[in-house]
């Protein structure tokens, strides 16, 4: 259009090129373009008109400057420049927010300087408000641009066409009544677009005032730390997290990135990227809260094979616990069900059912069954209830009310043995002596399972597998009530003589149980990954104590029960062989 204005002697060439540009308008890359169909079809028609007027143009510079060149220059210099400026301001506000969040993330969790913390919190709130305001202004300008750009090409072309009709005598021969009606309809369309723009602008102004009138506390991170409203039934989650990256043997850096879940995957989208990339496959993984350096609200995702995955930091306690709950729900592949929200609610309510006392095992007896498949003779030797009709004991008979639950692997019996080893020197590196478990080399059975320790507690009896189900119920309920997500991951080695719990990092044996002391074992019938066993341990007073240990396995609990049962069968065969040899 500037060439038409500045080169009257080349008007024919300029208008010809203008016609081509009108046809190519639909190829312009407006990222948020919408509703351009009428504009494109109208421009196509205008292109034909320009071709017809190509040989007749003798333009008056003043009218062209006022009716054709000026509107498009205003669109380019005013509207587009304004959007570009608002974009830069939003980028500066985002950078300031990132800097303030970096300061807030580095606040120590112990011996905090309240004055420094208050200043940092105020700085974060101010940065967030500034970023929020700049984003709203940028958003409004972008929306307004969608209407303005649709008008920007219409107004110059209307002025161009009217100039031809008014200032050329031969124009009357070319512009008939149909052309007048077409221009009138285009003018009406432009006016309607402007009306829509004004209505949308007013609506956005009202929305902006409503959003900015909220309480200042919503801009404060972790403002509801005392009583956060946590949704434990999430099957998808998105938000900003700090990702820990190792830069050396002992040095690490933290990077704030946008994370979101998609199906069974954890995705990450850096700023400026058009799409997210895969960070971690969440199927069958485990997640737990961890203490990491001097940062709060950290959690770690562990792969199904037991390898440590990524460590992330949330900005608040609420975000931390909701991320843990969401990843835990996704790891169970709930998202593959027909109604994943209902399944998540049901699974999370299962643990909370412990709040209501259970007075009878009638219903549980119908849906539960022992996991052992021993022969009648073996069941008698191992004190397992035979397949006869028995009265199921009450919960109080299985586990005494108020029995404490232990959430970490610390064995009093192991400590007792360590204290009575005589004068033997303790290995300062905590490693088990090479000859401590010689049976591992000669064992007929060796199977390794990746498990996570949920808890252990003393029980009153080992005569029924119901004591294991009751312990599972109480342990899961206690974890849900007290918000305990941290679990100790370990390797469970099943041999023909012992059950060993081995640290996956150091390969140090944390606990060792004689297989003959394991008197009861079972897997949960609904949650196939839950498994437990009862151990009869001697006490220093001469008596015996019963304790049950509950685990969550990466594989089905029935496989662990089968391995334990196979080990017990091997022991019985060895006993029988020894008796025959003596005879």
């Amino acid at each position: 259009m500037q060439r038409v204005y500045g080169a009257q002697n080349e008007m024919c060439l300029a208008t010809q090129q203008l016609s081509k540009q009108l046809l190519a308008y639909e190829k312009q890359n407006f990222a948020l373009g919408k509703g351009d169909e009428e504009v494109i079809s109208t421009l196509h028609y205008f292109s034909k008109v320009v071709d017809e007027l190509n040989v007749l143009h003798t333009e008056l510079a003043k009218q062209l400057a006022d009716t054709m060149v000026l509107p498009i220059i205003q669109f380019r210099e005013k509207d587009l420049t304004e959007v570009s400026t608002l974009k830069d301001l939003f980028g500066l506000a985002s950078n300031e927010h990132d800097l303030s969040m970096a300061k807030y993330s580095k606040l120590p969790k112990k011996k905090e300087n309240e004055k420094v913390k208050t200043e940092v919190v105020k700085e974060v709130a101010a940065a967030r408000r500034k970023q929020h305001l700049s984003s709203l202004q940028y958003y409004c300008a972008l929306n307004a641009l969608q209407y303005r750009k649709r008008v920007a090409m219409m107004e110059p072309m209307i002025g161009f066409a009217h100039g031809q009709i008014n200032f050329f005598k031969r124009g009357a021969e070319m512009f008939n009544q149909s052309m007048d009606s077409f221009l009138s309809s285009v003018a009406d369309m432009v006016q309607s677009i402007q009306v829509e723009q004004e209505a949308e602008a007013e609506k956005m102004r009202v929305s902006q005032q409503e959003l900015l009138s909220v309480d200042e506390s919503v801009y404060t991170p972790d403002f509801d730390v005392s009583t956060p409203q946590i949704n434990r039934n999430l099957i998808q989650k998105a938000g900003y997290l700090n990702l820990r990256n190792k830069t050396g043997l002992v040095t690490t850096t933290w990077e704030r990135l946008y994370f979101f879940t998609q199906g069974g995957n954890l995705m990450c989208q850096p700023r400026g990227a058009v799409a997210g990339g895969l960070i971690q496959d969440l199927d069958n993984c485990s997640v737990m809260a961890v203490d990491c350096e001097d940062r709060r609200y950290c959690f770690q995702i562990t792969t199904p094979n037991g390898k440590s995955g990524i460590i992330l930091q949330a900005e608040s306690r609420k975000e931390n616990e909701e991320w843990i709950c969401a990843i835990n729900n996704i790891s169970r592949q709930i998202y593959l069900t027909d109604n994943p929200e209902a399944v998540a609610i049901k699974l999370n309510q299962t643990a909370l059912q412990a709040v209501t006392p259970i007075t009878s095992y009638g219903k549980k007896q119908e849906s539960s069954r022992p996991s052992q498949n021993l022969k009648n003779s073996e069941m008698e030797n191992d004190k397992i209830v035979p397949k006869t009709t028995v009265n199921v004991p009450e919960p109080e008979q299985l586990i005494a009310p108020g029995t404490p639950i232990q959430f970490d692997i610390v064995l009093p019996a192991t400590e007792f043995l360590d204290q009575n080893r005589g004068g033997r020197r303790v290995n300062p590196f905590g490693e088990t002596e090479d000859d401590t478990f010689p049976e591992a080399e000669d064992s007929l059975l060796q199977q390794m399972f990746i498990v996570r320790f949920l808890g252990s507690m003393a029980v009153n009896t080992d005569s029924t597998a119901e004591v294991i189900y009751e312990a599972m119920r109480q342990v899961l309920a206690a974890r849900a009530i007290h918000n305990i997500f941290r679990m100790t991951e370990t390797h469970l080695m099943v041999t023909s003589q012992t059950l060993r719990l081995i640290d996956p990092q150091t390969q140090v044996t944390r606990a060792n149980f004689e297989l003959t002391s394991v008197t009861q074992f079972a897997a949960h019938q609904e949650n196939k990954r839950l498994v437990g066993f009862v151990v009869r341990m001697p006490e220093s007073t001469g008596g015996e104590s019963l304790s049950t240990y509950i685990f969550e396995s990466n594989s089905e609990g029935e496989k662990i029960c089968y391995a334990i049962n196979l080990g017990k069968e091997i022991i019985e065969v060895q006993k029988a062989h020894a008796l025959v040899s003596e005879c």
Side-chain angles (χ1 to χ4, degrees):
M1 291 182 180
Q2 288 178 340
R3 290 190 63 181
V4 173
Y5 171 72
Q8 294 185 16
N9 295 329
E10 299 179 0
M11 185 60 66
C12 294
L13 179 61
T15 52
Q16 184 180 9
Q17 293 182 358
L18 174 60
S19 176
K20 294 180 180 179
Q21 292 298 322
L22 293 175
L23 291 175
Y25 172 77
E26 59 181 321
K27 299 179 181 179
Q28 296 298 320
N29 183 22
F30 281 100
L32 301 179
K34 61 179 181 179
D36 286 349
E37 292 78 9
E38 289 183 293
V39 175
I40 292 173
S41 61
T42 305
L43 292 178
H44 285 180
Y45 188 85
F46 271 123
S47 176
K48 297 179 181 179
V49 174
V50 173
D51 288 336
E52 295 175 359
L53 296 175
N54 183 45
V55 294
L56 302 176
H57 275 298
T58 304
E59 181 181 14
L60 295 176
K62 184 178 181 302
Q63 290 184 348
L64 286 178
D66 293 339
T67 61
M68 185 177 69
V69 180
L70 182 60
I72 195 65
I73 290 179
Q74 288 178 340
F75 172 74
R76 185 184 65 185
E77 299 297 334
K78 180 181 177 181
D79 298 297
L80 296 183
T81 302
E82 179 185 5
V83 172
S84 179
T85 303
L86 291 175
K87 178 181 178 182
D88 295 337
L89 292 176
F90 174 70
L92 293 175
S94 299
N95 293 334
E96 291 179 7
H97 179 250
D98 290 344
L99 292 176
S100 61
M101 281 304 302
K103 292 181 181 179
Y104 176 77
S105 299
K106 294 179 181 178
L107 285 176
K109 58 184 178 180
K110 295 181 180 179
K111 297 181 180 180
E112 295 180 344
N113 188 328
E114 293 299 326
K115 182 178 180 181
V116 175
K117 179 181 178 181
T118 302
E119 293 176 355
V120 172
V121 169
K122 289 182 179 179
E123 183 179 349
V124 172
R128 283 188 172 178
R129 181 177 179 84
K130 184 177 180 181
Q131 185 191 34
H132 192 188
L133 179 60
S134 62
S135 64
L136 288 175
Q137 293 175 343
Y138 183 37
Y139 165 76
C140 294
L142 284 176
N143 282 340
L145 181 63
Q146 305 314 307
Y147 294 93
R148 182 57 187 161
K149 70 181 179 61
R150 294 159 64 184
V151 177
M153 292 299 294
M154 297 287 105
E155 292 178 341
M157 295 312 305
I158 292 175
F160 178 77
H162 280 304
Q164 299 299 324
I165 296 175
N166 294 331
F167 293 100
F168 291 96
K169 295 180 179 180
R170 294 183 59 185
E173 301 176 359
M174 301 180 61
F175 291 95
N176 51 26
Q177 187 65 28
S178 62
M179 188 64 186
D180 291 337
S181 62
F182 169 73
L183 294 177
S184 177
S185 65
V186 174
D188 293 340
M189 182 181 69
V190 170
Q191 185 177 3
S192 65
I193 294 175
Q194 291 175 338
V195 172
E196 291 180 11
Q197 176 186 352
E198 293 176 358
E200 181 69 18
E202 180 62 26
K203 182 179 178 182
M204 288 187 291
R205 280 194 295 268
V206 174
S207 299
Q208 182 176 349
Q209 292 176 356
E210 293 178 354
L211 291 173
L212 294 177
S213 63
V214 297
D215 190 359
E216 292 290 336
S217 61
V218 300
Y219 294 100
T220 304
D222 212 11
F223 70 95
D224 57 348
V225 64
S226 57
T227 57
Q229 300 296 325
I230 301 171
N231 185 359
R232 305 185 185 280
N233 305 319
L234 296 173
I235 56 172
Q236 58 183 6
K237 180 73 175 170
Y240 279 94
L241 296 171
N242 290 334
L243 172 65
R244 190 181 77 161
N245 296 314
K246 287 188 176 182
T247 57
L249 294 177
V250 294
T251 58
T252 58
T253 60
W254 294 83
E255 184 179 7
R256 190 167 184 264
L257 300 170
Y258 183 78
F259 288 84
F260 62 95
T261 60
Q262 189 176 68
N265 300 322
L266 179 64
M267 312 291 287
C268 173
Q269 184 171 348
R271 179 169 295 176
V274 296
L278 177 63
I279 293 294
Q280 181 80 46
D281 183 2
L282 299 180
D283 287 343
N284 298 319
C285 73
S286 62
V287 58
M288 60 181 176
V290 294
D291 292 329
C292 189
E293 299 172 0
D294 195 24
R295 295 201 173 218
R296 304 173 297 171
Y297 311 132
C298 294
F299 60 93
Q300 175 177 320
I301 302 175
T302 305
T303 59
N305 58 9
K307 294 183 179 180
S308 298
I310 58 176
I311 295 180
L312 301 167
Q313 179 192 19
E315 70 175 35
S316 65
R317 174 188 169 190
K318 177 178 182 294
E319 286 292 305
N320 182 50
E321 295 191 12
E322 285 191 349
W323 271 106
I324 291 176
C325 292
I327 294 175
N328 187 42
N329 291 335
I330 294 173
S331 68
R332 301 177 183 177
Q333 299 182 349
I334 296 177
Y335 63 92
L336 297 176
T337 59
D338 294 334
N339 192 352
E341 291 83 1
V343 175
I345 294 174
K346 180 180 178 182
L347 290 177
N348 286 308
Q349 285 181 345
T350 301
L352 296 177
Q353 291 176 355
V355 178
T356 304
I358 296 179
T359 58
S360 175
Y361 268 91
K363 294 183 179 181
K364 182 182 291 188
Q365 182 70 14
E366 295 177 0
S367 60
S368 304
R369 60 181 178 84
S371 298
Q372 300 95 319
N373 295 317
L374 304 179
K375 297 180 180 178
N376 291 336
S377 60
E378 295 168 346
M379 293 172 66
E380 294 176 358
N381 293 333
D382 292 334
K383 300 182 180 180
I384 298 177
V385 179
K387 296 181 180 179
T388 58
T389 303
V390 295
N391 293 325
V392 178
E394 296 296 329
E396 294 78 6
Q397 297 175 338
L398 299 173
I399 302 175
T403 300
I405 300 176
Q406 190 169 289
F407 295 106
D408 200 2
I409 303 177
V410 179
L411 297 178
T414 306
E415 294 178 356
F416 175 78
L417 293 175
D418 292 340
Q419 294 173 0
N420 293 275
R421 283 185 174 182
R424 300 183 64 179
R425 181 177 63 88
V426 178
N427 191 326
F429 296 98
E431 297 177 354
T432 304
E433 294 86 341
D434 295 337
D435 57 349
T436 304
F437 302 101
E439 77 280 355
E441 299 179 357
D442 301 331
S443 176
L444 298 177
L445 172 66
Q446 286 191 28
Q447 288 194 17
M448 181 78 74
F449 301 93
I450 299 174
V451 296
R452 285 169 293 280
F453 181 71
L454 298 179
S456 64
M457 58 193 308
V459 296
N460 296 334
T461 179
D462 60 353
S463 59
T464 173
E466 297 295 338
V467 68
I468 298 178
Y469 302 141
E470 175 64 16
M472 290 178 179
R473 187 181 68 85
Q474 293 194 19
V475 167
L476 292 178
R479 282 183 169 269
I481 294 173
H482 300 291
N483 295 326
I484 301 176
F485 299 101
R486 190 171 184 175
M487 295 182 289
T488 304
E489 188 163 301
T490 183
H491 290 172
L492 175 62
M493 171 70 80
V494 181
T495 70
S496 59
Q497 298 182 24
T498 62
L499 295 181
R500 293 170 56 190
L501 298 177
I502 303 173
D503 188 290
Q505 303 295 333
T506 62
Q507 298 303 310
V508 173
T509 299
R510 292 178 174 174
N512 180 53
F513 304 101
E514 294 292 335
L515 205 57
T516 54
S517 66
V518 178
T519 58
Q520 200 63 254
F521 50 95
H524 199 280
Q525 299 306 308
E526 295 181 0
N527 188 346
K528 302 295 184 180
R529 294 164 61 180
L530 288 182
V531 66
F533 57 82
V534 180
V535 179
R536 183 180 291 271
M537 302 289 290
E539 295 183 343
S540 58
T541 58
E544 292 182 331
S545 64
L546 296 174
S547 299
T548 181
Y549 296 85
I550 307 301
F551 297 87
E552 182 185 39
S553 172
N554 281 7
S555 57
E556 293 185 1
E558 289 289 348
K559 296 181 180 179
I560 298 179
C561 293
Y562 177 80
I564 297 175
N565 184 40
L566 183 60
K568 283 184 167 290
E569 290 181 351
I570 293 175
I571 292 176
E572 293 299 322
V573 172
Q574 290 176 343
K575 288 181 180 178
H577 181 72
L579 290 176
V580 172
S581 300
E582 291 178 359
C583 296

